[in-house]
Amino acid sequence: MQNVTDRIRNPFGMRPDCPSFVPGYGDANADFHVVGDRPGVHGGTAAAVPFTGEPWSPAFLSTLQSAGLIAGLAEGVAPDGVATDGDPTAVDPVSTDRTFLSYLHMCESDGPPDDDAYDDMERFFDAELRAIAAHVLLPVGARATEHVLETYTARAWKTEVDMDALHGEELLGAGWLVVPVKDPSDWTDGDADRLVDALGELRSTDFRRESDLGRFIAGSDPYLVR
């Protein structure tokens, strides 16, 4: 597969019109795309990396590591994903491999953005999601799950956004597999293991679900479609 880019932080140079934001982070050639809400909900302000710096971040990042979605944290980085010395944005704290992390609304704000603000930021999120074209979307929390189901599947009308029930469940989207994740701040005993088990089972299958149609065109190069 062609390498999209080797840049880890904000690989496509997204520049929203706000003073401070938490851009997408990770492997732009990802198979798994973890989708959060916004910095005010899911953190990331200190390290400029989604899902870091919150009380629940160590458990969440550890779960992603156990599930094989991240390789771990860099040396000198605290369990919550923030560098302990110097500028916390000067290092790449989370080692990702085939996984990308981003938010629906990357801008930092004093209070919750309104629906118009989310709508305005959706262009950045959608452009990045389609450029990465991961095989599996993991929306974290109710808002991200509702958005992903409504925008990238035909299941929204028949799927109740009950995060306890949807946590770790595999849903078929329009070219994507969707695995909703309960908001980490609401996790209870068993939620981490449930997600690890679900992702382990998924990774043991042909989750890419691609077909090579190269035999129908001239030349010997593969032509993979979902």
Side-chain angles (χ1 to χ4, degrees):
M1 186 183 77
Q2 183 178 2
N3 188 47
V4 176
T5 175
D6 290 329
R7 289 179 55 184
I8 294 175
R9 290 178 178 267
N10 198 11
F12 303 104
M14 299 295 180
R15 297 294 175 191
D17 186 19
C18 55
S20 182
F21 60 93
V22 177
Y25 176 95
D27 187 347
N29 304 280
D31 290 329
F32 297 88
H33 189 161
V34 185
V35 179
D37 187 340
R38 61 184 178 89
V41 173
H42 287 143
T45 301
V49 175
F51 304 106
T52 61
E54 293 296 312
W56 45 260
S57 293
F60 183 70
L61 295 173
S62 177
T63 299
L64 295 186
Q65 183 175 0
S66 296
L69 270 63
I70 66 173
L73 302 178
E75 184 177 352
V77 173
D80 66 351
V82 179
T84 54
D85 296 318
D87 181 1
T89 67
V91 299
D92 296 328
V94 181
S95 177
T96 61
D97 182 16
R98 313 299 293 182
T99 298
F100 194 78
L101 314 171
S102 71
Y103 288 155
L104 297 179
H105 192 295
M106 70 175 78
C107 287
E108 298 174 26
S109 58
D110 293 334
D114 59 21
D115 289 341
D116 288 342
Y118 274 99
D119 289 344
D120 183 60
M121 293 299 298
E122 200 270 341
R123 57 198 163 112
F124 295 102
F125 169 73
D126 184 72
E128 196 165 56
L129 180 142
R130 294 184 184 278
I132 293 168
H135 295 276
V136 183
L137 305 181
L138 295 99
V140 179
R143 182 157 200 145
T145 297
E146 183 175 359
H147 180 81
V148 166
L149 291 179
E150 289 182 351
T151 309
Y152 305 108
T153 80
R155 303 180 58 103
W157 66 275
K158 61 179 179 180
T159 304
E160 179 184 0
V161 181
D162 178 346
M163 297 311 299
D164 283 317
L166 293 177
H167 181 68
E169 294 297 309
E170 181 182 326
L171 307 175
L172 183 61
W176 288 273
L177 291 176
V178 178
V179 180
V181 178
K182 182 179 175 180
D183 198 297
S185 63
D186 297 329
W187 281 11
T188 57
D189 291 345
D191 284 331
D193 290 339
R194 181 176 165 188
L195 184 59
V196 170
D197 291 345
L199 291 175
E201 183 175 349
L202 175 62
R203 285 165 55 86
S204 71
T205 67
D206 181 21
F207 63 85
R208 294 176 178 84
R209 300 184 183 181
E210 295 174 323
S211 297
D212 185 1
L213 301 184
R215 63 187 182 280
F216 297 117
I217 59 178
S220 58
D221 292 336
Y223 178 61
L224 302 177
V225 297
R226 298 183 189 179

